[in-house]
Amino acid sequence: MKVFNEATVKNTYHMSDAIQDIEQLFTDMDGIRLDQRIVIPTGDGAKSMLYMPCVHTGRQLGIVKITSITPDNPQHGRPTTQGNIIVTDLETGEHVASLDGSYLTRLRTGALSGIATKYLSRKNTTTLGMIGTGGMAFEQLLANIEVRDIDRVILYNRTIAKAEDFKSRVVEAFPKLTVEVVDDVKQLVEQADIINCQTQSAEPVFDADTIQPGTHINGIGSYRPDMKEIDNRILPKADKVFFDDIEGVKEEAGEIIEANEKGIFKFEDVDGDLKALSLNGTLQRTNDESITVFKCVGAAHFDLAVALGAYERLIQQ
Amino acid sequence: MKVFNEATVKNTYHMSDAIQDIEQLFTDMDGIRLDQRIVIPTGDGAKSMLYMPCVHTGRQLGIVKITSITPDNPQHGRPTTQGNIIVTDLETGEHVASLDGSYLTRLRTGALSGIATKYLSRKNTTTLGMIGTGGMAFEQLLANIEVRDIDRVILYNRTIAKAEDFKSRVVEAFPKLTVEVVDDVKQLVEQADIINCQTQSAEPVFDADTIQPGTHINGIGSYRPDMKEIDNRILPKADKVFFDDIEGVKEEAGEIIEANEKGIFKFEDVDGDLKALSLNGTLQRTNDESITVFKCVGAAHFDLAVALGAYERLIQQ
């Protein structure tokens, strides 16, 4: 078994690869076999282990993503979530690689937003607003930059100092970008062409009434029924609403579950999943005035796409 | 993540360790959390991937055993079953080690027979009969040798040449043992103090009527409802019948399921599981005339015991 740590995977496998590999997988889904993920509590509160297996019989490769959730880790300078992906060659039965799964999870989550942005945001998008500047934010930025000519980024975070830290990181990585931090989310909402939310907020992080025509919203933060970062009053105003994985969103996305319960927006009102958006050109944005929304919770086959893509590039080196 | 291959694990972790660690775990089961194993078909027939997670909250360590079943592998000189165990430190959330799981699975299966033999076979046992000399056999031999003063081993296998090959391996490893191959299983049954069966036979591999008083039987081969290596007519004649894991045997052990269906031996007639046998001295063999039976199908917590034991020894080196 070869072990590829985060630095190695990062050097070899990039956002453009992840977007391409996920869209490629959408054309070749028949061979995918998976099962419900397993969650085992390992301590108090959310402390747990998650196991998400998924195989591709056509490509004869399979993965299992093993994720630990350790809520008190930040107090000790360690990340809350740590992922590892084991790749098995189904042709030989050999367990061939261990890939760092933390970067790959952030990258694939970014790539999902990137695909949504590519097909739902206005082509003349230049300003990206980011609400939440935590662990998932950098790859969300990378994804939007990959598919749109972003020249300005507006950042909002509950703790302003963290937004400033993130700004420094962005400026260092992309010196040509104009990056600003705002202390009132309304300033961001009114100016951004894309609003990308990556918080774990239990309350909406923006006010639906302040959303401008032509805005595209990516919501990737809420992944539990108690998390509701998107103001779900935006959903009936949106011309297009897509979910990365419809069954996953129904079970996990707090603001969408609430919207469905309250009758604000029923699950069946969704325009489709990310696969449909990627493959069917008629589902994409048609005018500059539409409001569009993409809600993402993740699913094992997205992990499969990036893990196999990364593995195949890593072993060719 | 540190990778420990089969040779490294083998050099560090032995049968005596496995027996001790499994019995130790029996005294400390409260912290064990597990979930049903996941099986994903990956091709024709039995070709599949198995995922078995199990954690110990007290020791703050968890494992997942990832097993590939590749039925046509022997045609290509590769093993049908290949296991890998990933160890996670629940204290830090870090995925700390990958251990070869094939040897550890054989070793723990041996250790389970070893524990049964220790408490159920006659103390003056000297002759071990082994039916089936395939991939699991060597560790079954090691286990019985570990707990009893075996000086003679009788081997039977459907394909005699394979029994001869196995004999050579045993003689090389244990030159003081008297090892013989028989072509009639009856010769083995009539002379052996312990009969250890490790076949995947769909039919009984011995005739219950030929079993002598005082014999102990370990059956570790049948792990599917269609596999029935033990002649289940022996069950009502046995003074003591133990299963490694009662729920597992009810679901997987063909000969026991059939016995229960036919009313030959009901599930509830079992004397207990291996944990009870290990912890409760009153359940052990009390006289030299009893026939005793141990049926084993394996369970995730046994893998946990040996994986954590091996891991803890490996990192101390």
Side-chain angles (χ1 to χ4, degrees), chain A residues 1 3 33 36 38 40 42 47 51 53 60 64 66 68 70 73 82 84 86 88 90 92-93 95 98, chain B residues 1 3 33 35-36 38 40 42 47 49 51 53 60 64 66 68 70 73 82 84 86 90 92-93 95 98:
Chain A
M1 172 177 290
V3 177
R33 304 270 177 280
Q36 267 207 305
I38 292 181
I40 300 184
T42 58
K47 192 174 183 188
Y51 305 90
Q60 282 289 292
V64 56
I66 307 166
S68 60
T70 318
N73 255 358
Q82 292 173 77
N84 184 254
I86 303 298
T88 303
L90 304 179
T92 63
H95 308 292
S98 158
Chain B
M1 172 177 289
V3 177
R33 304 270 177 281
D35 207 305
Q36 265 207 306
I38 293 181
I40 300 184
T42 59
K47 191 174 183 188
M49 289 292 298
Y51 305 91
Q60 282 288 292
V64 55
I66 308 166
S68 60
T70 317
N73 255 358
Q82 291 173 77
N84 184 254
I86 303 299
L90 305 179
T92 64
H95 308 291
S98 158

Side-chain angles (χ1 to χ4, degrees), chain A residues 310-317:
Chain A
Y311 168 68
E312 285 167 351
R313 280 171 183 80
L314 285 160
I315 57 167
Q316 278 167 17
Q317 288 189 322

Side-chain angles (χ1 to χ4, degrees), chain B residues 11 16 22 46 101 166 239 257 274:
Chain B
N11 280 336
S16 55
I22 291 171
F166 185 73
D239 278 344
I257 294 169
L274 195 62

Side-chain angles (χ1 to χ4, degrees), chain B residues 166-271:
Chain B
F166 185 73
K167 175 182 170 179
S168 305
R169 187 177 169 197
V170 175
V171 167
E172 196 181 329
F174 301 101
K176 288 182 184 168
L177 277 182
T178 302
V179 187
E180 53 203 278
V181 172
V182 295
D183 59 5
D184 181 354
V185 75
K186 193 158 173 263
Q187 294 172 269
L188 178 154
V189 169
E190 288 176 353
Q191 298 178 66
D193 303 314
I194 299 168
I195 301 175
N196 213 103
C197 306
Q198 44 280 328
T199 73
Q200 296 176 17
S201 177
E203 305 290 329
V205 293
F206 60 77
D207 178 348
D209 296 336
T210 61
I211 297 286
Q212 304 297 308
T215 303
H216 171 62
I217 300 165
N218 289 320
I220 68 110
S222 316
Y223 66 90
R224 289 200 319 242
D226 60 319
M227 296 175 175
K228 300 169 186 174
E229 66 178 357
I230 295 178
D231 184 347
N232 53 29
R233 294 179 304 129
I234 195 63
L235 298 171
K237 298 184 191 177
D239 278 344
K240 292 177 184 290
V241 177
F242 284 86
F243 301 156
D244 65 333
D245 178 74
I246 293 174
E247 291 311 310
V249 166
K250 284 181 181 177
E251 281 171 29
E252 297 167 23
E255 62 273 77
I256 309 293
I257 294 169
E258 184 188 74
N260 180 65
E261 282 168 0
K262 288 188 175 172
I264 297 171
F265 181 89
K266 303 297 279 182
F267 291 142
E268 54 269 27
D269 297 335
V270 71
D271 292 278

Side-chain angles (χ1 to χ4, degrees), chain A residues 92-93, chain B residues 68-71 73-74 76-82 102:
Chain A
T92 63
Chain B
S68 60
I69 313 281
T70 317
N73 255 358
H76 308 282
R78 294 185 298 255
T80 303
T81 302
Q82 291 173 77
S102 299

